[in-house]
Amino acid sequence: MDVVERWTGRYACLLQSALRLGNEQFAAHLGIAVRTVAAWHSDASVVPRREMQQLLDTAYEQAPTAARQRFALLLAKERGPTDSTPSGAQALRVAIAVVIRNRDVLLVCRRDDDAAGITWQFPAGVIKPGAKAETTTVRETLDETGVHCAVRQRLGNRLHPVTGVLCEYFLCEYLAGEASNTDAVENIDVMWVPRNSVPRFIPVDTIFPPILAVLEEQT
């Protein structure tokens, strides 16, 4: 996923911080010399060579969900309130599917190592640069849960109050498939939940208000 188009010393250090690793640990994680990591800290503008760019891409892609969320927050802070997207970086956007089947809604339980992160949530996936949010919504739901769905309505977007990530929300209609955990790396469980029981799994104050409205209408 191309959150960073081109890594610099600064972005590499932000990734290290998001992973909560010291210089030696980060170097061992990437399989590089400690002096290389030290060089990134001393010169934030340095651009690592191509093979190093690939190592950083892999380290990000294989990082736990909570670490990727921390990295997104660090990038957002790096931008500052008046700046736009940093040079070489893409704003992290996530497509979220609210899949309705009769009186139930589809939820997934994330394998999250951060106690402050989200546990139960709606199926979601990062929108890659150039990709359509609607396509990502349908594809990620199928990849994560084995459920085929179709986008019925766009519910809006917001910066998530916990992760700070830009979220695009879609109301989706169930088409076919048995709900199962088809992404055991990211998720612990997948299940259909009665619509009026969603607040038992996800804190009400973190649920996008249009979703609450939809769940109430559908009850």
Side-chain angles (χ1 to χ4, degrees):
M1 52 192 72
D2 303 324
V3 174
V4 172
E5 182 179 331
R6 183 180 65 174
W7 291 94
T8 64
R10 180 56 180 163
Y11 292 149
C13 292
L14 291 180
L15 178 61
Q16 177 187 352
S17 179
L19 290 168
R20 295 177 175 166
L21 298 175
N23 283 8
E24 292 185 1
Q25 293 173 309
F26 192 45
H29 186 67
L30 295 174
I32 62 176
V34 177
R35 64 176 178 274
T36 301
V37 177
W40 293 340
H41 283 274
S42 63
D43 185 358
S45 64
V46 66
V47 177
R49 60 184 185 276
R50 184 175 61 180
E51 54 267 35
M52 201 70 70
Q53 296 274 335
Q54 294 172 344
L55 288 175
L56 290 164
D57 283 342
T58 300
Y60 172 81
E61 290 167 1
Q62 296 180 349
T65 301
R68 295 201 300 270
Q69 291 172 346
R70 286 192 292 269
F71 182 66
L73 289 173
L74 291 170
L75 276 181
K77 291 179 181 178
E78 190 78 3
R79 287 202 303 267
T82 59
D83 198 3
S84 56
T85 306
S87 176
Q90 296 284 344
L92 185 63
R93 296 169 60 224
V94 173
I96 297 179
V98 182
V99 185
I100 298 294
R101 185 190 68 176
N102 298 325
R103 295 183 177 276
D104 297 331
V105 64
L106 188 63
L107 296 182
V108 298
C109 186
R110 291 294 187 202
R111 190 181 300 280
D112 201 334
D113 64 355
D114 189 340
I118 300 170
T119 302
W120 286 98
Q121 64 180 56
F122 302 101
V126 172
I127 306 169
K128 295 183 179 181
K132 291 185 177 180
E134 293 86 347
T135 303
T136 299
T137 300
V138 172
R139 184 187 65 246
E140 291 293 332
T141 299
L142 178 60
D143 289 347
E144 288 189 351
T145 70
V147 168
H148 294 267
C149 68
V151 172
R152 182 191 302 173
Q153 176 187 349
R154 183 178 181 275
L155 298 175
N157 61 35
R158 66 164 178 174
L159 290 177
H160 196 279
V162 175
T163 66
V165 172
L166 178 60
C167 298
E168 303 276 354
Y169 295 89
F170 296 90
L171 176 63
C172 298
E173 180 181 1
Y174 168 80
L175 297 179
E178 293 294 328
S180 60
N181 185 10
T182 53
D183 188 355
V185 174
E186 292 283 347
N187 303 324
I188 298 172
D189 198 6
V190 172
M191 65 186 297
W192 291 101
V193 174
R195 300 170 198 167
N196 57 6
S197 296
V198 170
R200 293 171 48 194
F201 294 84
I202 306 174
V204 175
D205 59 346
T206 67
I207 300 176
F208 192 38
I211 294 178
L212 290 174
V214 165
L215 296 178
E216 290 174 359
E217 289 173 2
Q218 299 289 335
T219 301

